[in-house]
Amino acid sequence: MRSTTEIAGRPSWEAYFMSIARLVAERSTCLRRKVGALLVKDKRILATGYNGAPSGLRHCLEIGCLRERLAIPSGQRHELCRGLHAEQNLIIQAAYHGIGIAGATLFCTHFPCVICTKMLINAGVVEVFYLEGYPDELSREMLEEAGVRVMRFKG
């Protein structure tokens, strides 16, 4: 049996899911960084998420960025933001709709922060594919300690 990468023009499963994560990021309302994420299990998408304000609240696109006004550097003081991270939103969406995510793989446009990492570990996520880095060494250490497989996607 041929793998999908051997069929001319057909993307691998990883490339396919990462392209969807990129598309999901386009829904982001963050002024600093557009992040998209999805959870996949058995080649099925379980949930998607992007970063933005909670449902029904005004977005940073509308009212400006609190973190910019306060000159907060990237990777610090996450609580001083109107938005939820993409990973938080997809875990919430799965819970809201009663979808179990234990054993799933995360495809995300950015490496998760430590807050999202702790949530992903406790939710039972077993793999993380990401496109871009993020300045959070503790996150990387915790994923390794938890035995979560982490791979930077290059495609």
Side-chain angles (χ1 to χ4, degrees), residues 13-38:
W13 284 108
E14 291 84 7
Y16 171 72
F17 291 126
M18 194 57 80
S19 69
I20 295 170
R22 286 181 178 127
L23 181 61
V24 171
E26 294 302 312
R27 292 278 308 153
S28 170
T29 58
C30 180
L31 296 170
R32 283 185 155 191
R33 181 186 326 253
K34 291 187 174 293
V35 180
L38 59 139

PDB file of all heavy atoms in Angstrom, residues 13-38:
ATOM      1  N   TRP A  13      -1.349  13.384   5.865  1.00  0.00           N
ATOM      2  CA  TRP A  13      -2.368  13.718   6.850  1.00  0.00           C
ATOM      3  C   TRP A  13      -1.930  14.912   7.687  1.00  0.00           C
ATOM      4  O   TRP A  13      -2.728  15.794   7.987  1.00  0.00           O
ATOM      5  CB  TRP A  13      -2.681  12.519   7.746  1.00  0.00           C
ATOM      6  CG  TRP A  13      -3.540  11.497   7.058  1.00  0.00           C
ATOM      7  CD1 TRP A  13      -3.154  10.267   6.609  1.00  0.00           C
ATOM      8  CD2 TRP A  13      -4.917  11.640   6.717  1.00  0.00           C
ATOM      9  NE1 TRP A  13      -4.222   9.639   6.015  1.00  0.00           N
ATOM     10  CE2 TRP A  13      -5.317  10.447   6.076  1.00  0.00           C
ATOM     11  CE3 TRP A  13      -5.859  12.644   6.904  1.00  0.00           C
ATOM     12  CZ2 TRP A  13      -6.613  10.245   5.621  1.00  0.00           C
ATOM     13  CZ3 TRP A  13      -7.152  12.442   6.447  1.00  0.00           C
ATOM     14  CH2 TRP A  13      -7.518  11.259   5.811  1.00  0.00           C
ATOM     15  N   GLU A  14      -0.640  14.940   8.060  1.00  0.00           N
ATOM     16  CA  GLU A  14      -0.136  16.056   8.871  1.00  0.00           C
ATOM     17  C   GLU A  14      -0.258  17.378   8.117  1.00  0.00           C
ATOM     18  O   GLU A  14      -0.683  18.394   8.678  1.00  0.00           O
ATOM     19  CB  GLU A  14       1.311  15.809   9.296  1.00  0.00           C
ATOM     20  CG  GLU A  14       1.482  14.701  10.297  1.00  0.00           C
ATOM     21  CD  GLU A  14       1.544  13.309   9.660  1.00  0.00           C
ATOM     22  OE1 GLU A  14       1.596  13.204   8.405  1.00  0.00           O
ATOM     23  OE2 GLU A  14       1.531  12.318  10.410  1.00  0.00           O
ATOM     24  N   ALA A  15       0.102  17.383   6.825  1.00  0.00           N
ATOM     25  CA  ALA A  15      -0.008  18.609   6.025  1.00  0.00           C
ATOM     26  C   ALA A  15      -1.468  19.027   5.860  1.00  0.00           C
ATOM     27  O   ALA A  15      -1.799  20.217   5.920  1.00  0.00           O
ATOM     28  CB  ALA A  15       0.653  18.409   4.664  1.00  0.00           C
ATOM     29  N   TYR A  16      -2.331  18.052   5.666  1.00  0.00           N
ATOM     30  CA  TYR A  16      -3.760  18.313   5.521  1.00  0.00           C
ATOM     31  C   TYR A  16      -4.320  18.991   6.769  1.00  0.00           C
ATOM     32  O   TYR A  16      -4.974  20.033   6.693  1.00  0.00           O
ATOM     33  CB  TYR A  16      -4.465  16.977   5.250  1.00  0.00           C
ATOM     34  CG  TYR A  16      -5.973  17.005   5.284  1.00  0.00           C
ATOM     35  CD1 TYR A  16      -6.710  17.603   4.269  1.00  0.00           C
ATOM     36  CD2 TYR A  16      -6.663  16.401   6.331  1.00  0.00           C
ATOM     37  CE1 TYR A  16      -8.097  17.603   4.297  1.00  0.00           C
ATOM     38  CE2 TYR A  16      -8.049  16.394   6.365  1.00  0.00           C
ATOM     39  CZ  TYR A  16      -8.765  16.999   5.345  1.00  0.00           C
ATOM     40  OH  TYR A  16     -10.128  16.994   5.375  1.00  0.00           O
ATOM     41  N   PHE A  17      -4.055  18.401   7.945  1.00  0.00           N
ATOM     42  CA  PHE A  17      -4.588  18.958   9.184  1.00  0.00           C
ATOM     43  C   PHE A  17      -3.950  20.303   9.524  1.00  0.00           C
ATOM     44  O   PHE A  17      -4.626  21.206  10.027  1.00  0.00           O
ATOM     45  CB  PHE A  17      -4.448  17.967  10.341  1.00  0.00           C
ATOM     46  CG  PHE A  17      -5.348  16.776  10.202  1.00  0.00           C
ATOM     47  CD1 PHE A  17      -4.828  15.493  10.262  1.00  0.00           C
ATOM     48  CD2 PHE A  17      -6.715  16.928  10.009  1.00  0.00           C
ATOM     49  CE1 PHE A  17      -5.661  14.379  10.128  1.00  0.00           C
ATOM     50  CE2 PHE A  17      -7.561  15.830   9.873  1.00  0.00           C
ATOM     51  CZ  PHE A  17      -7.026  14.550   9.932  1.00  0.00           C
ATOM     52  N   MET A  18      -2.670  20.465   9.222  1.00  0.00           N
ATOM     53  CA  MET A  18      -2.022  21.754   9.506  1.00  0.00           C
ATOM     54  C   MET A  18      -2.580  22.849   8.591  1.00  0.00           C
ATOM     55  O   MET A  18      -2.724  23.997   9.023  1.00  0.00           O
ATOM     56  CB  MET A  18      -0.506  21.643   9.372  1.00  0.00           C
ATOM     57  CG  MET A  18       0.223  22.817   9.970  1.00  0.00           C
ATOM     58  SD  MET A  18      -0.137  23.115  11.734  1.00  0.00           S
ATOM     59  CE  MET A  18       0.914  21.891  12.485  1.00  0.00           C
ATOM     60  N   SER A  19      -2.927  22.505   7.372  1.00  0.00           N
ATOM     61  CA  SER A  19      -3.532  23.515   6.489  1.00  0.00           C
ATOM     62  C   SER A  19      -4.885  23.960   7.039  1.00  0.00           C
ATOM     63  O   SER A  19      -5.259  25.128   6.930  1.00  0.00           O
ATOM     64  CB  SER A  19      -3.647  22.996   5.057  1.00  0.00           C
ATOM     65  OG  SER A  19      -4.608  21.972   4.962  1.00  0.00           O
ATOM     66  N   ILE A  20      -5.606  23.052   7.664  1.00  0.00           N
ATOM     67  CA  ILE A  20      -6.882  23.418   8.285  1.00  0.00           C
ATOM     68  C   ILE A  20      -6.634  24.313   9.497  1.00  0.00           C
ATOM     69  O   ILE A  20      -7.359  25.298   9.712  1.00  0.00           O
ATOM     70  CB  ILE A  20      -7.692  22.155   8.653  1.00  0.00           C
ATOM     71  CG1 ILE A  20      -8.070  21.404   7.378  1.00  0.00           C
ATOM     72  CG2 ILE A  20      -8.936  22.527   9.464  1.00  0.00           C
ATOM     73  CD1 ILE A  20      -8.668  20.032   7.619  1.00  0.00           C
ATOM     74  N   ALA A  21      -5.610  24.011  10.285  1.00  0.00           N
ATOM     75  CA  ALA A  21      -5.269  24.872  11.434  1.00  0.00           C
ATOM     76  C   ALA A  21      -4.957  26.287  10.964  1.00  0.00           C
ATOM     77  O   ALA A  21      -5.366  27.268  11.598  1.00  0.00           O
ATOM     78  CB  ALA A  21      -4.093  24.290  12.213  1.00  0.00           C
ATOM     79  N   ARG A  22      -4.248  26.394   9.864  1.00  0.00           N
ATOM     80  CA  ARG A  22      -3.945  27.729   9.298  1.00  0.00           C
ATOM     81  C   ARG A  22      -5.231  28.454   8.911  1.00  0.00           C
ATOM     82  O   ARG A  22      -5.371  29.662   9.136  1.00  0.00           O
ATOM     83  CB  ARG A  22      -3.034  27.599   8.083  1.00  0.00           C
ATOM     84  CG  ARG A  22      -1.617  27.259   8.389  1.00  0.00           C
ATOM     85  CD  ARG A  22      -0.827  27.181   7.087  1.00  0.00           C
ATOM     86  NE  ARG A  22       0.568  26.899   7.301  1.00  0.00           N
ATOM     87  CZ  ARG A  22       1.231  25.914   6.704  1.00  0.00           C
ATOM     88  NH1 ARG A  22       0.631  25.134   5.832  1.00  0.00           N
ATOM     89  NH2 ARG A  22       2.507  25.727   6.955  1.00  0.00           N
ATOM     90  N   LEU A  23      -6.154  27.740   8.321  1.00  0.00           N
ATOM     91  CA  LEU A  23      -7.431  28.339   7.931  1.00  0.00           C
ATOM     92  C   LEU A  23      -8.229  28.768   9.157  1.00  0.00           C
ATOM     93  O   LEU A  23      -8.805  29.858   9.192  1.00  0.00           O
ATOM     94  CB  LEU A  23      -8.234  27.348   7.079  1.00  0.00           C
ATOM     95  CG  LEU A  23      -9.585  27.844   6.576  1.00  0.00           C
ATOM     96  CD1 LEU A  23      -9.430  29.071   5.695  1.00  0.00           C
ATOM     97  CD2 LEU A  23     -10.287  26.718   5.828  1.00  0.00           C
ATOM     98  N   VAL A  24      -8.264  27.928  10.177  1.00  0.00           N
ATOM     99  CA  VAL A  24      -8.970  28.260  11.422  1.00  0.00           C
ATOM    100  C   VAL A  24      -8.398  29.551  12.025  1.00  0.00           C
ATOM    101  O   VAL A  24      -9.145  30.392  12.535  1.00  0.00           O
ATOM    102  CB  VAL A  24      -8.895  27.084  12.423  1.00  0.00           C
ATOM    103  CG1 VAL A  24      -9.420  27.489  13.794  1.00  0.00           C
ATOM    104  CG2 VAL A  24      -9.660  25.875  11.899  1.00  0.00           C
ATOM    105  N   ALA A  25      -7.089  29.731  11.940  1.00  0.00           N
ATOM    106  CA  ALA A  25      -6.437  30.936  12.477  1.00  0.00           C
ATOM    107  C   ALA A  25      -6.980  32.214  11.840  1.00  0.00           C
ATOM    108  O   ALA A  25      -6.964  33.284  12.471  1.00  0.00           O
ATOM    109  CB  ALA A  25      -4.926  30.855  12.285  1.00  0.00           C
ATOM    110  N   GLU A  26      -7.483  32.120  10.634  1.00  0.00           N
ATOM    111  CA  GLU A  26      -8.023  33.308   9.955  1.00  0.00           C
ATOM    112  C   GLU A  26      -9.253  33.873  10.662  1.00  0.00           C
ATOM    113  O   GLU A  26      -9.619  35.018  10.448  1.00  0.00           O
ATOM    114  CB  GLU A  26      -8.339  32.979   8.496  1.00  0.00           C
ATOM    115  CG  GLU A  26      -7.102  32.674   7.666  1.00  0.00           C
ATOM    116  CD  GLU A  26      -6.106  33.820   7.658  1.00  0.00           C
ATOM    117  OE1 GLU A  26      -6.525  34.986   7.435  1.00  0.00           O
ATOM    118  OE2 GLU A  26      -4.911  33.562   7.890  1.00  0.00           O
ATOM    119  N   ARG A  27      -9.904  33.079  11.527  1.00  0.00           N
ATOM    120  CA  ARG A  27     -11.051  33.550  12.296  1.00  0.00           C
ATOM    121  C   ARG A  27     -10.635  34.338  13.534  1.00  0.00           C
ATOM    122  O   ARG A  27     -11.457  34.970  14.184  1.00  0.00           O
ATOM    123  CB  ARG A  27     -11.918  32.360  12.743  1.00  0.00           C
ATOM    124  CG  ARG A  27     -12.627  31.635  11.641  1.00  0.00           C
ATOM    125  CD  ARG A  27     -13.915  32.285  11.210  1.00  0.00           C
ATOM    126  NE  ARG A  27     -14.783  32.544  12.362  1.00  0.00           N
ATOM    127  CZ  ARG A  27     -15.679  33.517  12.397  1.00  0.00           C
ATOM    128  NH1 ARG A  27     -15.859  34.309  11.383  1.00  0.00           N
ATOM    129  NH2 ARG A  27     -16.426  33.693  13.473  1.00  0.00           N
ATOM    130  N   SER A  28      -9.356  34.317  13.870  1.00  0.00           N
ATOM    131  CA  SER A  28      -8.852  34.986  15.065  1.00  0.00           C
ATOM    132  C   SER A  28      -9.168  36.477  15.041  1.00  0.00           C
ATOM    133  O   SER A  28      -9.137  37.111  13.989  1.00  0.00           O
ATOM    134  CB  SER A  28      -7.345  34.785  15.160  1.00  0.00           C
ATOM    135  OG  SER A  28      -6.798  35.609  16.166  1.00  0.00           O
ATOM    136  N   THR A  29      -9.445  37.008  16.229  1.00  0.00           N
ATOM    137  CA  THR A  29      -9.681  38.446  16.341  1.00  0.00           C
ATOM    138  C   THR A  29      -8.574  39.126  17.148  1.00  0.00           C
ATOM    139  O   THR A  29      -8.722  40.275  17.557  1.00  0.00           O
ATOM    140  CB  THR A  29     -11.047  38.707  17.007  1.00  0.00           C
ATOM    141  OG1 THR A  29     -11.071  38.087  18.289  1.00  0.00           O
ATOM    142  CG2 THR A  29     -12.185  38.177  16.146  1.00  0.00           C
ATOM    143  N   CYS A  30      -7.480  38.424  17.368  1.00  0.00           N
ATOM    144  CA  CYS A  30      -6.340  38.972  18.099  1.00  0.00           C
ATOM    145  C   CYS A  30      -5.523  39.885  17.184  1.00  0.00           C
ATOM    146  O   CYS A  30      -5.291  39.565  16.017  1.00  0.00           O
ATOM    147  CB  CYS A  30      -5.464  37.827  18.621  1.00  0.00           C
ATOM    148  SG  CYS A  30      -4.018  38.391  19.559  1.00  0.00           S
ATOM    149  N   LEU A  31      -5.093  41.008  17.729  1.00  0.00           N
ATOM    150  CA  LEU A  31      -4.295  41.952  16.956  1.00  0.00           C
ATOM    151  C   LEU A  31      -2.809  41.604  16.959  1.00  0.00           C
ATOM    152  O   LEU A  31      -2.059  42.085  16.114  1.00  0.00           O
ATOM    153  CB  LEU A  31      -4.488  43.366  17.517  1.00  0.00           C
ATOM    154  CG  LEU A  31      -5.910  43.909  17.404  1.00  0.00           C
ATOM    155  CD1 LEU A  31      -6.059  45.200  18.198  1.00  0.00           C
ATOM    156  CD2 LEU A  31      -6.293  44.112  15.949  1.00  0.00           C
ATOM    157  N   ARG A  32      -2.365  40.780  17.900  1.00  0.00           N
ATOM    158  CA  ARG A  32      -0.948  40.443  18.040  1.00  0.00           C
ATOM    159  C   ARG A  32      -0.544  39.187  17.269  1.00  0.00           C
ATOM    160  O   ARG A  32       0.525  39.116  16.683  1.00  0.00           O
ATOM    161  CB  ARG A  32      -0.586  40.223  19.500  1.00  0.00           C
ATOM    162  CG  ARG A  32      -0.425  41.482  20.295  1.00  0.00           C
ATOM    163  CD  ARG A  32       0.059  41.133  21.681  1.00  0.00           C
ATOM    164  NE  ARG A  32       0.763  42.259  22.270  1.00  0.00           N
ATOM    165  CZ  ARG A  32       1.462  42.200  23.363  1.00  0.00           C
ATOM    166  NH1 ARG A  32       1.576  41.061  24.014  1.00  0.00           N
ATOM    167  NH2 ARG A  32       2.059  43.264  23.837  1.00  0.00           N
ATOM    168  N   ARG A  33      -1.380  38.166  17.349  1.00  0.00           N
ATOM    169  CA  ARG A  33      -0.994  36.864  16.795  1.00  0.00           C
ATOM    170  C   ARG A  33      -2.256  36.067  16.473  1.00  0.00           C
ATOM    171  O   ARG A  33      -3.084  35.849  17.328  1.00  0.00           O
ATOM    172  CB  ARG A  33      -0.155  36.128  17.844  1.00  0.00           C
ATOM    173  CG  ARG A  33       0.352  34.794  17.476  1.00  0.00           C
ATOM    174  CD  ARG A  33       1.050  34.076  18.628  1.00  0.00           C
ATOM    175  NE  ARG A  33       1.783  34.921  19.536  1.00  0.00           N
ATOM    176  CZ  ARG A  33       3.107  35.011  19.600  1.00  0.00           C
ATOM    177  NH1 ARG A  33       3.856  34.283  18.827  1.00  0.00           N
ATOM    178  NH2 ARG A  33       3.693  35.808  20.476  1.00  0.00           N
ATOM    179  N   LYS A  34      -2.387  35.635  15.234  1.00  0.00           N
ATOM    180  CA  LYS A  34      -3.521  34.807  14.824  1.00  0.00           C
ATOM    181  C   LYS A  34      -3.137  33.344  15.001  1.00  0.00           C
ATOM    182  O   LYS A  34      -2.198  32.874  14.378  1.00  0.00           O
ATOM    183  CB  LYS A  34      -3.900  35.086  13.375  1.00  0.00           C
ATOM    184  CG  LYS A  34      -4.500  36.458  13.169  1.00  0.00           C
ATOM    185  CD  LYS A  34      -5.020  36.603  11.744  1.00  0.00           C
ATOM    186  CE  LYS A  34      -5.743  37.909  11.564  1.00  0.00           C
ATOM    187  NZ  LYS A  34      -6.970  38.012  12.312  1.00  0.00           N
ATOM    188  N   VAL A  35      -3.894  32.644  15.866  1.00  0.00           N
ATOM    189  CA  VAL A  35      -3.591  31.250  16.167  1.00  0.00           C
ATOM    190  C   VAL A  35      -4.814  30.395  15.868  1.00  0.00           C
ATOM    191  O   VAL A  35      -5.937  30.745  16.225  1.00  0.00           O
ATOM    192  CB  VAL A  35      -3.185  31.074  17.652  1.00  0.00           C
ATOM    193  CG1 VAL A  35      -2.861  29.612  17.964  1.00  0.00           C
ATOM    194  CG2 VAL A  35      -1.993  31.965  17.985  1.00  0.00           C
ATOM    195  N   GLY A  36      -4.569  29.272  15.205  1.00  0.00           N
ATOM    196  CA  GLY A  36      -5.614  28.302  14.933  1.00  0.00           C
ATOM    197  C   GLY A  36      -5.170  26.936  15.420  1.00  0.00           C
ATOM    198  O   GLY A  36      -3.977  26.614  15.387  1.00  0.00           O
ATOM    199  N   ALA A  37      -6.135  26.139  15.871  1.00  0.00           N
ATOM    200  CA  ALA A  37      -5.805  24.819  16.404  1.00  0.00           C
ATOM    201  C   ALA A  37      -6.937  23.846  16.121  1.00  0.00           C
ATOM    202  O   ALA A  37      -8.097  24.248  16.010  1.00  0.00           O
ATOM    203  CB  ALA A  37      -5.556  24.911  17.907  1.00  0.00           C
ATOM    204  N   LEU A  38      -6.583  22.578  16.019  1.00  0.00           N
ATOM    205  CA  LEU A  38      -7.584  21.548  15.941  1.00  0.00           C
ATOM    206  C   LEU A  38      -7.095  20.284  16.622  1.00  0.00           C
ATOM    207  O   LEU A  38      -5.898  20.043  16.712  1.00  0.00           O
ATOM    208  CB  LEU A  38      -8.033  21.253  14.509  1.00  0.00           C
ATOM    209  CG  LEU A  38      -7.027  20.799  13.485  1.00  0.00           C
ATOM    210  CD1 LEU A  38      -7.641  19.709  12.627  1.00  0.00           C
ATOM    211  CD2 LEU A  38      -6.685  21.977  12.588  1.00  0.00           C
TER     212      LEU A  38
END
